[in-house]
Amino acid sequence: MADELELLRHANPVPVDGPHFGDGPLDHHAERHLDRLLRERPTISAPSPPRRRTRLAWGLAATAVVAALVSALLFTGQTTAPAVAAPRPLLVQADSTPVPLRTLAERAGAVAADGAPKLRKGTHVQTWSMGMSDDKPPITLPEERIVRWHADDSHTEIVVATDPRHPGRPVLGGDGELVADGHVLSRQTYPPSWSDAPPQSPPPTDLGRLRAYLQEAEYSRTALNTGELLHAVATLLDTWTLGARESAALAQLLADTEGLRPAGQVTDRLGRRGQAYVYDGTGSRQMLIMDPATGDVLGLETTFTEAEPEYGVKAGDVMSYSAWMR
């Protein structure tokens, strides 16, 4: 027994060279889950953790990503510091006519009649994520990510730091090659893997099964509220490029969701015109942008609705933004 206790005393459950616990930037899914954990309100009456610790966690995540960006610039011979200017929130065109979600869902259903385009695993997305710490002003970290799956179930992921001087301009081609200026943060091919659990399994087109799929993707045992559902949609689109039928099913599900109000026409950061649907949560506002002709989800922007002066955050500041491409 004494020998076993001595072994435990010298054990290191988190070795420095461990494959999963070393310091480094969070991947895209981890950032989204961290965002959800930090922003959601507890459902039971329990003491809240100190606010300072929460913001410090955000600061650690932001620091890791900034460190990766700076390292990438150093190793690629760049000597200038990366620009990290925050984007302005998207503006709805004042004289535009909002399109009801049910109308959009009907259009999507008509487009999906011939079943093209088809569902494809993988994604191409530009993201902006705000990081905050206790002693530094907030910064926005722009990146572009393309994931392509191969016939043997392996996949390649390329992450590029986008140039804030040219917001919204794609820097990666469909094959993952650079077509504009950008700093490659990582390029990695993963061995074959397969899972039948959401979001890795193909999304269904039946509404009831799709709702259950998104709930499982969020690791939730209860029905998702509107904010959680939008988070689940982002998780889905970070994994799959939806086909016409999947987009039509998602549009119908969103049309049946309470709290999403049509706001009018908006031009997203890739120059695409879409219809905006807004959900006001606690302390934040989510704007879902959808293609008015096909019902495809183009983007999702989250902004602060309450100022937090101690962290340099103003009402209306962009918290995060994703723009998905085919």
Side-chain angles (χ1 to χ4, degrees):
M1 187 64 160
D3 291 342
E4 292 175 354
L5 288 174
E6 190 63 25
L7 269 175
L8 289 172
R9 290 190 183 99
H10 289 88
N12 182 6
V14 189
V16 173
D17 59 350
H20 303 295
F21 301 103
D23 291 336
L26 299 176
D27 64 25
H28 199 57
H29 291 297
E31 285 188 9
R32 286 195 179 280
H33 283 296
L34 178 62
D35 175 38
R36 180 187 173 201
L37 288 171
L38 295 179
R39 300 300 301 179
E40 68 183 2
R41 297 295 187 265
T43 55
I44 58 175
S45 178
S48 300
R51 194 176 189 188
R52 184 176 180 82
R53 172 172 289 183
T54 298
R55 293 306 181 188
L56 181 59
W58 254 115
L60 292 174
T63 300
V65 181
V66 172
L69 180 57
V70 173
S71 297
L73 296 178
L74 290 176
F75 286 113
T76 53
Q78 299 290 332
T79 57
T80 56
V84 286
R88 295 181 179 179
L90 296 175
L91 296 177
V92 175
Q93 187 176 321
D95 58 350
S96 62
T97 302
V99 176
L101 256 172
R102 292 200 179 279
T103 301
L104 202 67
E106 290 172 2
R107 294 177 185 173
V111 170
D114 63 357
K118 299 292 186 181
L119 175 72
R120 185 180 75 240
K121 193 168 189 180
T123 190
H124 186 180
V125 59
Q126 282 196 9
T127 63
W128 295 259
S129 300
M130 176 177 284
M132 293 183 294
S133 65
D134 289 335
D135 57 352
K136 295 180 178 64
I139 58 174
T140 299
L141 311 170
E143 69 176 34
E144 183 173 346
R145 184 171 57 95
I146 188 168
V147 179
R148 288 291 177 260
W149 285 76
H150 311 299
D152 64 350
D153 284 328
S154 65
H155 67 280
T156 301
E157 178 174 315
I158 303 171
V159 180
V160 173
T162 57
D163 188 345
R165 293 170 297 181
H166 304 285
R169 183 179 67 179
V171 299
L172 288 172
D175 56 0
E177 294 305 313
L178 285 172
V179 295
D181 293 338
H183 305 291
V184 177
L185 297 181
S186 66
R187 183 194 299 262
Q188 188 165 355
T189 297
Y190 296 87
S193 63
W194 182 86
S195 172
D196 61 357
Q200 296 301 323
S201 58
T205 55
D206 174 80
L207 289 189
R209 290 175 56 209
L210 178 58
R211 194 179 299 275
Y213 175 101
L214 293 173
Q215 181 177 318
E216 187 175 350
E218 287 294 284
Y219 305 99
S220 176
R221 295 183 179 181
T222 59
L224 302 179
N225 62 35
T226 302
E228 292 169 336
L229 177 62
L230 292 177
H231 186 278
V233 168
T235 299
L236 170 63
L237 296 176
D238 282 341
T239 310
W240 293 89
T241 299
L242 300 187
R245 288 175 178 167
E246 290 77 18
S247 286
L250 181 59
Q252 182 61 59
L253 187 150
L254 292 167
D256 294 337
T257 301
E258 294 184 359
L260 267 177
R261 57 180 177 83
Q265 182 175 286
V266 66
T267 300
D268 79 352
R269 291 185 174 85
L270 299 180
R272 302 172 298 184
R273 291 187 178 181
Q275 281 289 320
Y277 300 90
V278 173
Y279 171 70
D280 292 304
T282 304
S284 66
R285 171 174 296 173
Q286 291 167 283
M287 178 189 288
L288 187 72
I289 303 153
M290 302 179 71
D291 188 306
T294 65
D296 293 345
V297 174
L298 302 178
L300 179 64
E301 178 183 79
T302 303
T303 56
F304 291 94
T305 56
E306 298 175 3
E308 297 191 26
E310 63 270 39
Y311 302 111
V313 172
K314 303 182 296 295
D317 280 353
V318 177
M319 182 191 304
S320 64
Y321 180 83
S322 294
W324 292 279
M325 296 163 269
R326 289 202 67 83

